[in-house]
Amino acid sequence: MRSGLRVLLPLFVLSVSAAAAWLIFGSRPEASFRPERATRPSVEAQRLVRTDYPVVIRSQGVVRPTRSSTLVSEVAGSVVDLSAVFVVGGAFEAGDVLARLDRRDYEIALARAGATLAQAEANLEEQAALADQARVEWRQLGRRGEPSPLTLREPQLAAARAERDAAAAEIERAELDLERTRIVAPYAGRVLARSVDDGQFVNRGTAIGRIHGIESVDVALPLGTRQQTWLQLPTESSSPNVEIATERGGRTLRWTGKLTRIEGIDEATRQLMVVARIDAPWADAAAPLRVGEFVEALIAGQVLEQVFVIPRVALREENEVLIVDDADELHRRPVVVAWSDDDVVAVTDGLQDGDILVLTPLATVVDGTPVRATIDGVAPPPLEPDA
């Protein structure tokens, strides 16, 4: 009996295991299959149209005064007074006295010149009287003919007139020297530098300081060879507009000026130097355009007629773009670029009206690659499942 169980028990276990395995495999769920959808990369695109594009040339420069002067002492003397505005950055008006020199020596010189003039005039009157007396005496003596110039004291009279004229000139010179003890501002402006202090002795020709006018300022702007191609040169009747901008205190300040002249080629950089002039830079006293300030400049250049203006990001390798055809496939297209900057590119050849330009940067592109293009913000319809 036991030997029969030993034989039947393993067989029973195997039968139960086989039945369980059959039930498990027989009741497993069927795998569901979804239809494959075509995989196409999505790109942003725009439809192209021709337009006129005004070229804007970018440059940078430093503000410098249109008019500046070095104040020089025209007489010698000690500085006895300096104006409160005669400091670096100080503002002054035309005719303001910026500094005064000791005038006592020149007052004395003027007094002496006055005395000399009085003596010369008295001597002239005396010589004139003697000449008249000589003519009367000649006639009283009954002499015939005209008296000689020496008899009429004409040389002495001429010498007296010369002395009188020289004395009068010394008066003018003394008055002028006295006036020159006042250093007067020739125009309204600002102080760039001051090189004297109270009590300092200065000689004739000593620099007192430097000033500049505020009626306008200039900005020298360098332009590269490519920028020069589209530069609109200033003429007597018209000058290109220039917009000047600078960052200050977290905000952008802007001024408008004109391109006034061309200075020539810079020998070090071989760039063309043009000059923009901005009038009334101190019109807004709270935010003036200061001398020495670094600024950005946008110069109005020539107008490109009937070109395609595309974003810079759409240009590949400087002369190629991607176009989507009617079958929604990509194609590489060589183009001719007339102008480009950091933002846009102006294309003159290689494109047609209505072309769909790809804006999305793609690393590797094969002609004929299918894509889903969102054109001018309009998304394409969803793809249908493959049959």
Side-chain angles (χ1 to χ4, degrees):
M1 183 67 179
R2 291 182 177 178
S3 61
L5 289 175
R6 290 176 181 173
V7 174
L8 292 176
L9 185 59
L11 294 175
F12 176 75
V13 172
L14 291 174
S15 299
V16 171
S17 300
W22 182 82
L23 288 175
I24 291 173
F25 281 102
S27 61
R28 72 180 186 272
E30 291 286 338
S32 61
F33 294 93
R34 295 182 180 178
E36 290 187 4
R37 292 182 180 270
T39 58
R40 298 186 176 190
S42 297
V43 295
E44 295 288 333
Q46 73 175 50
R47 195 175 298 276
L48 297 176
V49 293
R50 293 181 185 273
T51 185
D52 293 342
Y53 178 71
V55 173
V56 177
I57 302 170
R58 299 177 182 269
S59 188
Q60 300 172 331
V62 177
V63 179
R64 66 188 189 188
T66 300
R67 176 168 60 168
S68 62
S69 306
T70 299
L71 299 178
V72 175
S73 175
E74 296 181 83
V75 294
S78 299
V79 178
V80 296
D81 181 53
L82 292 173
S83 171
V85 301
F86 192 35
V87 292
V88 176
F92 55 85
E93 297 297 327
D96 284 356
V97 179
L98 302 180
R100 297 178 188 271
L101 303 181
D102 190 348
R103 55 188 286 140
R104 291 175 295 179
D105 288 341
Y106 301 100
E107 290 173 342
I108 294 172
L110 179 58
R112 287 180 174 176
T116 301
L117 177 60
Q119 291 176 354
E121 289 176 340
N123 183 47
L124 178 59
E125 292 178 2
E126 180 182 358
Q127 293 299 328
L130 291 174
D132 291 340
Q133 182 64 33
R135 183 177 294 276
V136 170
E137 291 178 352
W138 176 271
R139 291 174 181 173
Q140 289 176 348
L141 293 174
R143 296 182 178 179
R144 299 178 181 180
E146 287 294 324
S148 67
L150 187 60
T151 300
L152 296 179
R153 303 184 63 84
E154 289 184 4
Q156 292 86 341
L157 190 60
R161 288 196 186 97
E163 289 179 2
R164 189 272 316 272
D165 293 342
E170 286 298 321
I171 286 285
E172 292 182 3
R173 180 176 181 179
E175 290 175 342
L176 186 58
D177 285 345
L178 186 61
E179 179 63 24
R180 287 170 173 171
T181 60
R182 302 163 61 248
I183 309 299
V184 179
Y187 47 77
R190 298 292 184 272
V191 179
L192 285 172
R194 193 187 80 186
S195 51
V196 295
D197 287 313
D198 283 316
Q200 182 176 340
F201 182 85
V202 297
N203 289 308
R204 185 188 299 268
T206 299
I208 300 295
R210 292 177 57 238
I211 60 174
H212 71 85
I214 58 172
E215 68 278 2
S216 64
V217 293
D218 290 344
V219 183
L221 302 169
L223 300 179
T225 303
R226 192 158 174 266
Q227 293 174 311
Q228 298 171 31
T229 304
W230 303 108
L231 178 66
Q232 183 179 351
L233 298 178
T235 63
E236 293 182 359
S237 58
S238 65
S239 298
N241 291 327
V242 180
E243 182 179 281
I244 300 297
T246 187
E247 296 289 334
R248 191 187 301 165
R251 62 187 182 125
T252 302
L253 303 179
R254 302 181 186 277
W255 298 266
T256 301
K258 294 285 187 179
L259 192 67
T260 58
R261 67 182 190 276
I262 297 175
E263 288 191 341
I265 301 295
D266 184 271
E267 293 184 359
T269 63
R270 307 309 301 170
Q271 291 183 309
L272 182 69
M273 302 299 294
V274 298
V275 177
R277 176 160 297 177
I278 299 88
D279 293 326
W282 287 80
D284 183 358
L289 180 57
R290 300 187 179 95
V291 170
E293 196 162 16
F294 183 80
V295 295
E296 304 278 343
L298 301 178
I299 307 171
Q302 298 180 21
V303 176
L304 300 177
E305 297 180 352
Q306 295 300 292
V307 295
F308 294 100
V309 181
I310 65 175
R312 174 76 186 191
V313 69
L315 187 66
R316 298 163 52 87
E317 299 180 0
E318 302 301 325
N319 62 352
E320 183 182 88
V321 296
L322 297 178
I323 299 297
V324 179
D325 64 10
D326 295 339
D328 292 333
E329 295 180 347
L330 286 181
H331 294 279
R332 299 160 64 179
R333 182 84 61 82
V335 294
V336 177
V337 176
W339 171 262
S340 66
D341 56 25
D342 293 338
D343 300 320
V344 299
V345 176
V347 176
T348 56
D349 196 14
L351 298 174
Q352 299 294 329
D353 283 307
D355 281 347
I356 299 173
L357 175 72
V358 175
L359 305 179
T360 303
L362 300 174
T364 304
V365 175
V366 177
D367 279 356
T369 301
V371 294
R372 301 184 71 240
T374 298
I375 304 172
D376 296 329
V378 179
L383 292 174
E384 295 294 333
D386 288 345

